[in-house]
mmCIF file of all heavy atoms in Angstrom:
data_model
loop_
_atom_site.group_PDB
_atom_site.id
_atom_site.type_symbol
_atom_site.label_atom_id
_atom_site.label_comp_id
_atom_site.label_asym_id
_atom_site.label_seq_id
_atom_site.Cartn_x
_atom_site.Cartn_y
_atom_site.Cartn_z
ATOM 1 N N ASN A 94 135.656 91.048 103.234
ATOM 2 C CA ASN A 94 136.054 92.447 102.756
ATOM 3 C C ASN A 94 134.833 93.125 102.200
ATOM 4 O O ASN A 94 134.635 94.371 102.481
ATOM 5 C CB ASN A 94 137.084 92.333 101.780
ATOM 6 C CG ASN A 94 138.424 91.934 102.354
ATOM 7 O OD1 ASN A 94 138.685 92.186 103.539
ATOM 8 N ND2 ASN A 94 139.364 91.392 101.578
ATOM 9 N N ILE A 95 133.986 92.392 101.430
ATOM 10 C CA ILE A 95 132.771 93.041 100.831
ATOM 11 C C ILE A 95 131.771 93.471 101.900
ATOM 12 O O ILE A 95 131.214 94.474 101.842
ATOM 13 C CB ILE A 95 132.181 92.071 99.860
ATOM 14 C CG1 ILE A 95 133.022 91.829 98.566
ATOM 15 C CG2 ILE A 95 130.741 92.589 99.378
ATOM 16 C CD1 ILE A 95 132.551 90.857 97.600
ATOM 17 N N GLN A 96 131.673 92.630 102.930
ATOM 18 C CA GLN A 96 130.682 92.865 104.010
ATOM 19 C C GLN A 96 131.176 94.180 104.696
ATOM 20 O O GLN A 96 130.356 95.071 105.095
ATOM 21 C CB GLN A 96 130.661 91.760 105.009
ATOM 22 C CG GLN A 96 129.988 90.553 104.604
ATOM 23 C CD GLN A 96 130.153 89.271 105.510
ATOM 24 O OE1 GLN A 96 131.012 89.256 106.269
ATOM 25 N NE2 GLN A 96 129.222 88.398 105.378
ATOM 26 N N MET A 97 132.474 94.300 104.931
ATOM 27 C CA MET A 97 133.090 95.478 105.646
ATOM 28 C C MET A 97 132.903 96.847 104.750
ATOM 29 O O MET A 97 132.455 97.802 105.343
ATOM 30 C CB MET A 97 134.484 95.230 105.858
ATOM 31 C CG MET A 97 135.225 96.438 106.613
ATOM 32 S SD MET A 97 136.902 96.143 106.999
ATOM 33 C CE MET A 97 137.641 95.929 105.393
ATOM 34 N N THR A 98 133.138 96.639 103.475
ATOM 35 C CA THR A 98 133.022 97.848 102.673
ATOM 36 C C THR A 98 131.560 98.278 102.418
ATOM 37 O O THR A 98 131.257 99.493 102.420
ATOM 38 C CB THR A 98 133.593 97.733 101.221
ATOM 39 O OG1 THR A 98 133.080 96.486 100.627
ATOM 40 C CG2 THR A 98 135.083 97.460 101.330
ATOM 41 N N LEU A 99 130.639 97.278 102.512
ATOM 42 C CA LEU A 99 129.172 97.565 102.487
ATOM 43 C C LEU A 99 128.739 98.394 103.699
ATOM 44 O O LEU A 99 128.048 99.362 103.626
ATOM 45 C CB LEU A 99 128.378 96.280 102.336
ATOM 46 C CG LEU A 99 128.243 95.734 100.883
ATOM 47 C CD1 LEU A 99 127.559 94.379 101.037
ATOM 48 C CD2 LEU A 99 127.493 96.531 99.999
ATOM 49 N N VAL A 100 129.125 97.844 104.849
ATOM 50 C CA VAL A 100 128.811 98.499 106.070
ATOM 51 C C VAL A 100 129.405 99.851 106.251
ATOM 52 O O VAL A 100 128.722 100.820 106.756
ATOM 53 C CB VAL A 100 129.204 97.637 107.287
ATOM 54 C CG1 VAL A 100 129.056 98.376 108.634
ATOM 55 C CG2 VAL A 100 128.462 96.312 107.339
ATOM 56 N N ASN A 101 130.662 100.082 105.654
ATOM 57 C CA ASN A 101 131.197 101.377 105.697
ATOM 58 C C ASN A 101 130.772 102.307 104.620
ATOM 59 O O ASN A 101 131.133 103.501 104.559
ATOM 60 C CB ASN A 101 132.777 101.199 105.523
ATOM 61 C CG ASN A 101 133.460 100.552 106.759
ATOM 62 O OD1 ASN A 101 132.888 100.566 107.850
ATOM 63 N ND2 ASN A 101 134.543 99.962 106.530
ATOM 64 N N GLY A 102 129.867 101.947 103.813
ATOM 65 C CA GLY A 102 129.367 102.703 102.697
ATOM 66 C C GLY A 102 130.236 103.066 101.591
ATOM 67 O O GLY A 102 130.157 103.973 100.896
ATOM 68 N N ASP A 103 131.349 102.221 101.391
ATOM 69 C CA ASP A 103 132.241 102.483 100.394
ATOM 70 C C ASP A 103 131.789 101.766 99.042
ATOM 71 O O ASP A 103 132.231 100.616 98.802
ATOM 72 C CB ASP A 103 133.716 102.019 100.859
ATOM 73 C CG ASP A 103 134.783 102.448 99.946
ATOM 74 O OD1 ASP A 103 134.438 102.853 98.821
ATOM 75 O OD2 ASP A 103 135.975 102.446 100.444
ATOM 76 N N THR A 107 133.371 98.330 97.151
ATOM 77 C CA THR A 107 132.597 97.227 97.170
ATOM 78 C C THR A 107 132.464 96.664 95.696
ATOM 79 O O THR A 107 132.573 95.478 95.427
ATOM 80 C CB THR A 107 131.169 97.559 97.655
ATOM 81 O OG1 THR A 107 131.203 97.945 99.004
ATOM 82 C CG2 THR A 107 130.203 96.371 97.579
ATOM 83 N N ASP A 124 126.438 87.394 107.416
ATOM 84 C CA ASP A 124 127.201 87.963 108.514
ATOM 85 C C ASP A 124 126.765 87.389 109.830
ATOM 86 O O ASP A 124 125.813 86.608 109.987
ATOM 87 C CB ASP A 124 127.333 89.482 108.530
ATOM 88 C CG ASP A 124 126.029 90.186 108.823
ATOM 89 O OD1 ASP A 124 125.005 89.437 109.014
ATOM 90 O OD2 ASP A 124 125.957 91.318 108.705
ATOM 91 N N ARG A 128 122.629 88.457 107.822
ATOM 92 C CA ARG A 128 122.294 89.246 106.625
ATOM 93 C C ARG A 128 123.125 88.857 105.516
ATOM 94 O O ARG A 128 124.398 88.527 105.565
ATOM 95 C CB ARG A 128 122.639 90.751 106.929
ATOM 96 C CG ARG A 128 121.689 91.317 107.960
ATOM 97 C CD ARG A 128 122.145 92.809 108.351
ATOM 98 N NE ARG A 128 123.487 92.764 108.875
ATOM 99 C CZ ARG A 128 124.080 93.849 109.379
ATOM 100 N NH1 ARG A 128 123.442 95.051 109.349
ATOM 101 N NH2 ARG A 128 125.296 93.910 109.814
ATOM 102 N N LEU A 133 122.674 93.512 103.135
ATOM 103 C CA LEU A 133 123.514 94.579 103.467
ATOM 104 C C LEU A 133 123.650 95.733 102.443
ATOM 105 O O LEU A 133 123.587 96.848 102.904
ATOM 106 C CB LEU A 133 124.950 94.057 103.683
ATOM 107 C CG LEU A 133 125.219 93.167 104.891
ATOM 108 C CD1 LEU A 133 126.663 92.515 104.803
ATOM 109 C CD2 LEU A 133 125.214 94.079 106.225
ATOM 110 N N TYR A 137 122.759 99.660 103.346
ATOM 111 C CA TYR A 137 123.871 100.460 103.302
ATOM 112 C C TYR A 137 124.272 101.202 101.944
ATOM 113 O O TYR A 137 124.821 102.291 102.016
ATOM 114 C CB TYR A 137 125.078 99.818 103.969
ATOM 115 C CG TYR A 137 125.023 99.572 105.400
ATOM 116 C CD1 TYR A 137 124.995 98.108 105.702
ATOM 117 C CD2 TYR A 137 125.036 100.439 106.400
ATOM 118 C CE1 TYR A 137 124.804 97.759 107.102
ATOM 119 C CE2 TYR A 137 124.980 100.102 107.750
ATOM 120 C CZ TYR A 137 124.850 98.694 108.128
ATOM 121 O OH TYR A 137 124.800 98.383 109.373
ATOM 122 N N ALA A 138 123.951 100.556 100.905
ATOM 123 C CA ALA A 138 124.559 100.948 99.594
ATOM 124 C C ALA A 138 123.573 101.640 98.701
ATOM 125 O O ALA A 138 122.406 101.664 98.949
ATOM 126 C CB ALA A 138 125.166 99.675 98.937
#
Side-chain angles (χ1 to χ4, degrees):
N94 288 335
I95 291 173
Q96 289 171 339
M97 181 176 64
T98 56
L99 282 169
V100 172
N101 291 337
D103 191 341
T107 299
D124 66 2
R128 297 172 298 185
L133 286 169
Y137 294 107

